Amino acid sequence: PYVNTKEILERANKEFYAVPALNINNLEFLQAIIDAGVEEHSPVIIETSEGAIKYAGNGDIKLGAKLFVSMVESYARNVDIPVSLHVDHGKNFKIIMAAIQAGYSSVMIDASEFPFEKNVAETKKIVEIAHSLGVSVEAELGRLVGIEDNVAVESHEAALVDPDEAKLFAEETGVDFLAPAIGTSHGAFKFKGEARLDFARLKKVKDLTGLPLVLHGASSVPEDIKKLAETYGADFKGAKGVPGEILAESVKFGINKVNTDTDLRMAFIASLREFLSKNPGEFDPRKYFKTPKELVKNVIRERLRLLGCSNKA
Ligand SMILES: O=C(COP(=O)(O)O)N(O)CCCOP(=O)(O)O
Ligand SMILES: [Zn+2]
């Protein structure tokens, strides 16, 4: 069924597991996610960035939002696992409102680039509107920067979440789930040195807020996927993600939603490169997208098991 993200995350919070939030821009990734959830009897959170909404709507935001809601809701009605649809990194009020009006389960208002007071004000505004329409809200505190050994400590401090601020933020905004910056960053090049997240800081945020917490920039960039892509011509030198054991650890300290986009993209392109080089005569998209969808599905299945949400449908 099509459910509210809050319902999925409140159970995860209570039972100490996490649910991946999986980004889509097109039909194929959505199909892979639904299949993975069904095969693992697991809830799934589908999320679309503002770029994805513009992409699907061919520039028309309302159309893009409606398209994603109708696709996700239709698939969700067809399966016996909880499925929700979330706006990822909402910054543009018009896009957030279009998504709420189209029927999204939840929205992120990302005002983390602004000073604390403005982040509170912006978030509060969206919370009031969204809650009046039964939509749940995510917000972010701190900025997504990798903790690099050779970068001055004070710049980390400035970027990472302040746990006391997080408590105040939660009380003042009424936000349903919170994304504390603890050292991850988006994309495939997260760490120059060894991967490290600030778990002490994360635990403080959890203890002080009790909210379901969100890890952004959580892709692992699995070695086998990276190698497969490079074997067939990709140039992913220096790509490094959050190792699986660190993801599992973050769940123990209170992460309940794990944003994952890069791993799906890397799996798809690695498998597509391999398929195209082995099938030079193929030109039916239902054929050349099939194997990549399979690999994306299997990467997701593994992540569902790692985060502990398999069989939690
Ligand atoms: O946290 C993540 C993904 O992190 P990842 O890169 O580690 O998968 N996200 O919120 C996904 C952000 C996708 O935005 P866009 O569509 O503009 O490229
Ligand atoms: Zn993110």
Side-chain angles (χ1 to χ4, degrees):
Y2 185 60
V3 301
N4 194 298
T5 310
K6 185 170 180 170
E7 182 186 312
I8 294 178
L9 292 181
E10 290 204 322
R11 185 177 161 199
N13 195 13
K14 251 203 317 285
E15 300 178 21
F16 294 96
Y17 59 89
V19 180
L22 301 151
N23 288 75
I24 62 169
N25 294 282
N26 63 20
L27 180 65
E28 284 73 20
F29 285 68
L30 172 57
Q31 292 174 337
I33 296 166
I34 295 291
D35 291 348
V38 167
E39 291 174 18
E40 288 295 326
H41 305 291
S42 165
V44 288
I45 299 168
I46 314 263
E47 61 181 15
T48 61
S49 65
E50 294 190 338
I53 291 172
K54 287 176 196 154
Y55 177 81
N58 232 2
D60 179 331
I61 287 166
K62 284 203 177 77
L63 174 60
K66 271 208 296 263
L67 201 58
F68 279 131
V69 169
S70 63
M71 283 201 291
V72 173
E73 210 174 356
S74 312
Y75 277 115
R77 265 204 224 98
N78 237 14
V79 294
D80 62 357
I81 57 167
V83 179
S84 80
L85 177 59
H86 177 71
V87 172
D88 187 26
H89 290 290
K91 296 189 177 189
N92 176 318
F93 185 74
K94 279 207 303 290
I95 296 181
I96 292 176
M97 287 315 296
I100 290 175
Q101 273 143 9
Y104 271 64
S105 318
S106 56
V107 299
M108 176 183 189
I109 163 67
D110 180 0
S112 58
E113 68 201 87
F114 301 115
F116 182 78
E117 288 68 26
K118 184 163 162 69
N119 191 352
V120 168
E122 292 296 301
T123 302
K124 225 170 133 119
K125 189 171 80 178
I126 298 297
V127 167
E128 273 148 22
I129 299 168
H131 283 185
S132 72
L133 295 162
V135 172
S136 47
V137 182
E138 173 185 332
E140 179 165 330
L141 272 176
R143 280 177 296 106
L144 296 175
V145 284
I147 301 180
E148 300 301 346
D149 297 342
N150 54 1
V151 174
V153 174
E154 52 280 359
S155 74
H156 296 161
E157 290 305 312
L160 300 184
V161 65
D162 171 339
D164 296 320
E165 266 193 7
K167 178 171 172 18
L168 200 58
F169 187 88
E171 286 156 359
E172 296 198 359
T173 60
V175 73
D176 300 291
F177 23 105
L178 186 63
I182 54 167
T184 56
S185 57
H186 287 153
F189 304 88
K190 298 180 195 294
F191 305 98
K192 288 191 190 59
E194 138 254 5
R196 205 155 43 81
L197 302 187
D198 191 333
F199 287 138
R201 195 182 291 266
L202 169 60
K203 185 165 181 341
K204 279 198 198 113
V205 172
K206 192 69 174 188
D207 294 344
L208 290 169
T209 64
L211 288 176
L213 299 181
V214 185
L215 188 65
H216 281 251
S219 279
S220 296
V221 188
E223 199 47 37
D224 57 331
I225 301 278
K226 182 169 171 281
K227 286 234 173 335
L228 178 68
E230 290 172 331
T231 304
Y232 292 97
D235 175 5
F236 290 152
K237 239 183 312 318
K240 187 168 174 50
V242 181
E245 56 277 7
I246 294 188
L247 281 186
E249 189 82 357
S250 73
V251 178
K252 290 205 193 79
F253 290 104
I255 292 293
N256 304 107
K257 173 175 179 277
V258 174
N259 282 23
T260 311
D261 191 5
T262 293
D263 283 349
L264 313 189
R265 297 180 179 186
M266 298 285 256
F268 197 91
I269 195 60
S271 175
L272 181 61
R273 283 178 169 277
E274 179 186 31
F275 184 91
L276 294 182
S277 80
K278 289 180 174 169
N279 301 273
E282 188 51 68
F283 59 92
D284 177 345
R286 293 164 301 184
K287 297 237 178 53
Y288 60 71
F289 281 156
K290 190 168 183 305
T291 325
K293 271 199 303 187
E294 277 292 309
L295 185 57
V296 171
K297 179 192 79 173
N298 291 330
V299 166
I300 296 169
R301 287 190 62 176
E302 216 175 297
R303 198 61 42 88
L304 294 170
R305 290 195 292 272
L306 176 78
L307 299 176
C309 62
S310 285
N311 298 314
K312 293 282 187 183

